[in-house]
Amino acid sequence: MGNRTLVSLGGGPAGLFLARLLRRADPSWHVTVYERDAPSSTFGFGIGLADRTIAALAEIDPETQRRIVEAGVVGHGISLRHRATDVRWGPRGGTAIARAALLDVLREQALAVGVTLKYGTPAELGEIGADVIVAADGANSATRTALSHEFGVTDGLGRAKYIWLGAELELAGMTFSFVADEHGAWAAHAYPYAPGMVTFLVETDEDTWRRAGLDRPYAPLGPDGTDLRSKEYLERLFAADLEGRPLLGNRSRWANFRNVDCARWSTGKVVLIGDAAHTAHFSVGSGTTLAMEDAVVLARCLAAESDPATAFARYEAERRPAVEHLQTRAMASQIWWETFGQRMDRAPSQLAFQWLTRTGALSYDRLRAADPGLARDVERWFTEATSAEVELPLSTGADPLCTPVRIAGRTLPTRVVVTRPPAPADSAGRHERDLALFGGLALAGAGLVVADLAAVPADTLDWTALSGLADFVTTHTEALAGLRLPTDTTLAKAAAEAGFGYVEYTCPDVSETSAQTSPMDLATVIRATATPLRGVALTVRAGTATAAVVACVRELKAAGVNLVRLLHTAGQPETPTSELALTALAEEIRALAGVATLVGDGSARTEHLRTAVVAGQADLVECWPTTSAATDRGPASQPGSPRSG
């Protein structure tokens, strides 16, 4: 296709690997890599590459793959340390390698195919003349910043503080350590990347970081620019994990993770790659993996297409779905780590389970198949904790959705909630139909059945029939009968008189502006409601700040609410991504507002709901009873026996 020129602005893994692959695919390309730093000034310690990347390298560039594997360390499982207990999970794959060693391999491999490397040579976008300019200059990309409007950049910082350190230490595999001191909660991510060497990344929330005095201006600094005060503080804090050894610094200072996303990855002759185009939180260990996978696809597209714009379009179309999928998982993981301090009181087994399931890639059901031993530990913990809460003996191994739960002094026989509208007012046999539906649901395994009257005209309500419904449920089952009502004081009192133990109202959409105060009429009605359980359904729009939702729930709790149902905006069905977001929010409401939560809209996956219950994210779930409950439950049956899930 003739001699064409490509310049990479950045000599990290993305830029170097792209340069090599393109030259191997089409030697007519003239490829130059500009890197502002010298080869010896590499930042950081070890980095990880996923098994899929190693496998792809073996096919695309076996020589480079062989050198990387020889210089790295293959994963050997995971250990989570909490309260002097190690919980093991494994085996874990992947390959960790020193960042400097990886760059040495990629640099030598690029030179071997004729790539021109210019180290210690910063290059500005306007100074470069080339057919293709690749922005491989990382999360803080100057190229992306200069063309932010064209790329449609979304850029923001995470809530947690982290610092990247290392240590001379022998570890059998990746180790996560959780410790607490007088200032707050801290966590270390440690993993081996070379014999006797580990990365030792520490993170904490900003309040803890400030209370520890680590927010003061950096002084003193080590010869390489490392924050020595923080290094010494963390050496004392993690002395047991470090076995008394010192931490190693390499320009190590506190930072907030930078979340980067772009609506477009190219403009004109400029294309983004790796962290310049997208970032994914370090807790899923995929930054370098994504960068090198980007390089594979972009090199192939550039070699196949004579028109750069066409190559860019093909590259983005192929890579964006995979990147966005991983970013979704990474964001769920980032939220978990930013809030881990809320879980320091959890038992080691539960904390490990929460960590393993934080991204949605693993569930309670899948854990039982993947690691029966760990699953049994989690089941035992969950059964013992639930038994202590409801003060009843329970059998290990019951479906978590079928276990009893105590909310505001009231014990429900299962965690399953079903909410349905009653039969129409003009329908034949209306009362009998309602008895069959709601009574049947309670007998089949629901712990709470809710008749949705929110859209039913008040003058059509038959309170005698409704009272009969409540009486049937409470007489023949251990379930609780409830109503969803319009915001009306008169109806609230009528519901209590009819024998319903739960009443729920709908709160307006929660947003930054509306969540500062709940509607006065809703608070008034809640206070006037005499049922033991009083709930609200909150519709949470995408992008609503957690702080706004928690503030709203706290105000509603003060008015008497003891259960919050979380819903998506109407017309937006639950997806795996939205499920993760809503259950993460539910957990924060439980932790920060002290209110029980109900998740699911009837279409959510039972597998996800079961996981949310065991992880302590939700108390109740909306789903249909299923055939997993093989036994009828009459008034004499024992709470906790197998039921629907």
Side-chain angles (χ1 to χ4, degrees):
M1 296 184 184
N3 295 328
R4 291 180 290 173
T5 57
L6 179 145
V7 167
S8 172
L9 302 178
L16 289 173
F17 196 44
L18 170 68
R20 171 175 169 80
L21 292 178
L22 185 57
R23 283 282 299 170
R24 289 179 75 236
D26 185 352
S28 71
W29 276 90
H30 295 287
V31 181
T32 303
V33 175
Y34 287 88
E35 172 55 52
R36 64 181 180 181
D37 295 324
S40 60
S41 63
T42 299
F43 170 76
F45 296 91
I47 56 178
L49 294 172
D51 282 338
R52 69 173 186 275
T53 305
I54 296 297
L57 288 177
E59 181 178 347
I60 297 165
D61 188 353
E63 182 183 353
T64 298
Q65 187 262 6
R66 176 186 58 79
R67 294 192 59 186
I68 289 174
V69 172
E70 288 176 353
V73 174
V74 177
H76 296 294
I78 295 172
S79 179
L80 185 144
R81 295 176 178 173
H82 179 50
R83 295 184 178 180
T85 300
D86 274 25
V87 180
R88 295 282 299 168
W89 164 258
R92 176 185 178 274
T95 298
I97 182 173
R99 180 175 172 81
L102 176 63
L103 291 177
D104 285 345
V105 169
L106 295 178
R107 181 173 61 251
E108 292 166 7
Q109 293 293 85
L111 287 171
V113 295
V115 175
T116 301
L117 303 181
K118 296 188 176 183
Y119 282 92
T121 309
E124 298 294 332
L125 185 62
E127 302 171 354
I128 300 299
D131 296 310
V132 173
I133 299 174
V134 179
D137 45 353
N140 298 318
S141 170
T143 311
R144 184 191 65 237
T145 300
L147 300 172
S148 60
H149 180 73
E150 287 85 344
F151 289 125
V153 178
T154 301
D155 190 358
L157 297 178
R159 290 187 280 171
K161 307 294 293 189
Y162 75 94
I163 186 169
W164 201 358
L165 298 155
E168 294 181 356
L169 190 66
E170 293 287 350
L171 284 181
M174 182 172 287
T175 303
F176 298 96
S177 298
F178 297 84
V179 299
D181 66 1
E182 67 273 21
H183 300 124
W186 309 78
H189 309 228
Y191 56 91
Y193 63 85
M197 296 297 299
V198 301
T199 293
F200 203 89
L201 185 150
V202 178
E203 68 176 315
T204 188
D205 63 274
E206 187 162 344
D207 288 343
T208 297
W209 175 71
R210 291 186 183 280
R211 285 192 294 267
L214 302 183
D215 59 326
R216 298 196 301 271
Y218 295 119
L221 292 177
D224 64 354
T226 291
D227 172 10
L228 295 183
R229 183 173 64 246
S230 292
K231 173 179 168 296
E232 292 168 359
Y233 181 97
L234 296 174
E235 285 171 347
R236 294 190 298 271
L237 186 66
F238 289 98
D241 295 280
L242 293 167
E243 299 175 0
R245 293 177 172 85
L247 286 167
L248 306 176
N250 183 351
R251 290 184 281 176
S252 303
R253 303 186 188 183
W254 293 98
N256 295 70
F257 185 78
R258 191 164 189 176
N259 294 297
V260 174
D261 201 7
C262 296
R264 296 165 294 282
W265 292 356
S266 64
T267 179
K269 61 182 181 180
V270 181
V271 62
L272 304 174
I273 188 173
D275 281 349
H278 46 70
T279 60
H281 195 250
F282 54 77
S283 60
V284 296
S286 293
T288 303
T289 286
L290 289 178
M292 295 184 72
E293 290 175 348
D294 282 358
V296 170
V297 176
L298 181 56
R300 183 174 69 243
C301 293
L302 287 170
E305 299 288 347
S306 59
D307 175 36
T310 303
F312 297 164
R314 282 185 56 183
Y315 153 67
E316 184 171 348
E318 181 172 341
R319 287 295 298 148
R320 185 177 284 278
V323 168
E324 290 182 345
H325 174 76
L326 194 137
Q327 282 183 310
T328 297
R329 301 297 190 194
M331 182 53 67
S333 182
Q334 180 175 343
I335 292 171
W336 193 92
W337 280 106
E338 290 177 344
T339 57
F340 78 86
Q342 300 170 10
R343 307 178 186 88
M344 293 296 284
D345 62 341
R346 306 293 169 84
S349 292
Q350 188 189 27
L351 186 66
F353 177 77
Q354 290 177 322
W355 180 82
L356 287 168
T357 59
R358 71 198 188 285
T359 69
L362 189 70
S363 68
Y364 177 79
D365 298 6
R366 296 174 191 175
L367 177 65
R368 298 178 74 183
D371 192 332
L374 178 56
R376 282 192 295 272
D377 289 342
V378 172
E379 288 174 357
R380 188 180 306 111
W381 166 84
F382 179 76
T383 301
E384 291 174 354
T386 303
S387 180
E389 176 190 350
V390 300
E391 300 179 342
L392 290 169
L394 303 176
S395 300
T396 302
D399 186 331
L401 301 187
C402 303
T403 59
V405 60
R406 193 165 182 81
I407 300 175
R410 177 68 183 256
T411 298
L412 302 182
T414 74
R415 300 169 186 268
V416 175
V417 179
V418 183
T419 307
R420 301 293 294 172
D426 57 353
S427 61
R430 175 188 183 188
H431 179 54
E432 289 73 16
R433 290 176 62 181
D434 286 345
L435 283 179
L437 173 62
F438 294 102
L441 288 168
L443 288 168
L448 172 61
V449 291
V450 182
D452 189 353
L453 305 179
V456 177
D459 58 2
T460 67
L461 294 177
D462 183 344
W463 284 105
T464 300
L466 289 170
S467 178
L469 172 60
D471 180 66
F472 179 89
V473 171
T474 56
T475 300
H476 296 283
T477 78
E478 296 172 359
L480 189 66
L483 296 175
R484 178 182 287 174
L485 294 174
T487 305
D488 186 302
T489 305
T490 303
L491 294 180
K493 292 179 179 178
E497 293 171 358
F500 287 91
Y502 172 72
V503 171
E504 176 180 300
Y505 309 96
T506 299
C507 184
D509 283 4
V510 179
S511 67
E512 289 284 10
T513 55
S514 67
Q516 302 306 313
T517 57
S518 58
M520 207 56 167
D521 53 352
L522 177 57
T524 300
V525 172
I526 291 170
R527 291 189 180 96
T529 302
T531 52
L533 295 185
R534 289 171 279 181
V536 294
L538 292 184
T539 299
V540 183
R541 286 178 282 179
T544 302
T546 298
V549 179
V550 171
C552 179
V553 172
R554 281 175 172 158
E555 185 173 354
L556 293 169
K557 178 184 179 182
V561 164
N562 39 42
L563 178 65
V564 172
R565 180 196 297 261
L566 292 173
L567 300 169
H568 294 284
T569 303
Q572 296 181 358
E574 290 201 14
T575 64
T577 299
S578 65
E579 287 175 351
L580 287 172
L582 215 60
T583 50
L585 177 59
E587 184 181 13
E588 292 217 47
I589 288 173
R590 294 177 85 244
L592 301 179
V595 178
T597 57
L598 164 59
V599 299
D601 65 355
S603 65
R605 297 170 299 137
T606 305
E607 179 182 15
H608 169 73
L609 299 176
R610 189 175 289 116
T611 302
V613 165
V614 178
Q617 295 172 309
D619 301 276
L620 298 171
V621 298
E622 176 82 25
C623 66
W624 283 100
T626 70
T627 54
S628 65
T631 59
D632 270 345
R633 285 180 55 101
S637 59
Q638 294 298 312
S641 60
R643 292 196 60 177
S644 62

